[in-house]
Amino acid sequence: MTAFGLIDSHCHLDPANFAEGADLVLERARQGGVSGFVCIGVGGLAAAEHACDLARSRNDVVATVGVHPHDASQHTEVLQGELEKLAREQRVVAIGEIGLDYHYDHSPRVQQQEVFRRYIQLAKSLSKPIVVHTRSAPADTLDILEVEGARDVGGVIHCFSEDLTFARRALNLNFVLSFSGIATFKRAEAIQEVARWVPADSYLIETDSPYLAPVPKRGKKNEPAFLVHTAQHIAQLRGEPLEEVAAKTSENARRLFRWH
Ligand SMILES: [Zn+2]
Ligand SMILES: [Zn+2]
């Protein structure tokens, strides 16, 4: 496979996910046409530091730091202080993933909302965009983004799995959508409808490695090298050549994350 210049806008590469080490994983992806990686630093300070480390010493990696809604109940002021320090680094391009997950409810909803609000404010104070995780919480997610003024910095609704109504509101709030392997699943008609509809300058693609491997790798541990399958599927849905999807999504990612 030759270089398409795809950007994986969302991957988790910490040792808990890839015991072999991130560099082997990154190298396989480069061979598969991926030329940029947004490494998500959530799951505690060690994971955030790991993402930042990867980004500091590799030109094709940038990082984000944040508190996943699953971890909201463990959030502390001390952690926030440490994450803020990391968030100021130049190669930390966004705050996230943050948001709401009412499907798993690993943390009480009020705590999820509180942490989500806090980190939107942090993103605004640093003028960095936001990576949003939302599951089974569409109304509250959009309300909080609106009330907290997230449009000032914008961001991405990662692993987009909502419908057209949500998509329109997200775009109005200055957010773009990122499609993951879910968009390749048979039952994902609502997401596929959005992928056909979304304006070319308003979407990204991602693997969300190690989760949610795209067809035909479904069920395997996902890794950034599989991004091309999602890109191909989106290209098919949109009736565009793969090169067009690669070029637009990479351009969009670089613009959103001010990554040049
Ligand atoms: Zn997520
Ligand atoms: Zn994620």
Side-chain angles (χ1 to χ4, degrees):
M1 199 130 346
T2 49
F4 301 116
L6 298 169
I7 290 184
D8 188 347
S9 77
H10 193 111
C11 54
H12 300 261
L13 300 181
D14 31 293
N17 299 314
F18 292 99
E20 64 190 303
D23 277 311
L24 292 171
V25 180
L26 290 168
E27 194 46 42
R28 284 199 292 275
R30 291 179 188 118
Q31 300 297 324
V34 185
S35 59
F37 307 85
V38 182
C39 192
I40 306 298
V42 297
L45 187 56
E49 274 171 347
H50 184 263
C52 294
D53 269 346
L54 289 177
R56 285 181 198 121
S57 50
R58 291 160 191 79
N59 273 336
D60 55 0
V61 180
V62 289
T64 73
V65 299
V67 177
H68 195 285
H70 289 345
D71 306 324
S73 63
Q74 276 121 57
H75 184 259
T76 62
E77 298 289 338
V78 175
L79 177 63
Q80 182 163 351
E82 294 300 321
L83 292 178
E84 262 190 64
K85 274 187 230 161
L86 293 172
R88 289 177 193 285
E89 293 187 19
Q90 190 246 331
R91 294 192 67 78
V92 174
V93 296
I95 300 301
E97 58 191 287
I98 57 173
L100 303 174
D101 194 315
Y102 294 174
H103 176 77
Y104 286 109
D105 277 329
H106 285 329
S107 287
R109 293 180 182 182
V110 279
Q111 278 175 300
Q112 294 187 38
Q113 293 161 11
E114 154 69 13
V115 169
F116 189 23
R117 290 179 197 278
R118 267 176 187 250
Y119 282 80
I120 294 171
Q121 292 310 321
L122 174 63
K124 287 174 67 177
S125 74
L126 298 173
S127 297
K128 294 192 179 186
I130 299 165
V131 178
V132 173
H133 171 108
T134 179
R135 185 147 185 214
S136 305
D140 284 1
T141 298
L142 290 166
D143 282 354
I144 289 175
L145 289 175
E146 176 123 49
V147 169
E148 298 295 324
R151 66 154 51 79
D152 293 356
V153 286
V156 53
I157 308 295
H158 111 84
C159 196
F160 185 81
S161 45
E162 299 295 332
D163 60 9
L164 199 49
T165 307
F166 185 107
R168 285 184 206 278
R169 281 199 62 194
L171 264 57
N172 283 336
L173 285 167
N174 192 25
F175 278 70
V176 300
L177 317 176
S178 180
F179 297 102
S180 70
I182 293 183
T184 70
F185 298 173
K186 258 206 178 73
R187 287 180 304 138
E189 285 103 352
I191 301 168
Q192 290 161 0
E193 182 188 12
V194 175
R196 283 189 207 96
W197 163 85
V198 71
D201 62 356
S202 297
Y203 77 104
L204 314 177
I205 51 173
E206 66 174 71
T207 57
D208 203 11
S209 304
Y211 316 107
L212 298 167
V215 173
K217 302 287 184 183
R218 193 171 180 181
K220 290 199 174 145
K221 178 158 116 176
N222 198 8
E223 60 174 77
F226 298 165
L227 184 61
V228 66
H229 300 295
T230 300
Q232 273 163 345
H233 200 88
I234 299 287
Q236 210 170 20
L237 286 170
R238 294 176 66 81
E240 293 169 0
L242 176 59
E243 290 72 13
E244 171 82 8
V245 169
K248 290 309 288 185
T249 53
S250 297
E251 187 185 315
N252 296 341
R254 290 192 188 276
R255 188 178 63 244
L256 175 66
F257 297 119
R258 289 182 229 131
W259 181 13
H260 301 289

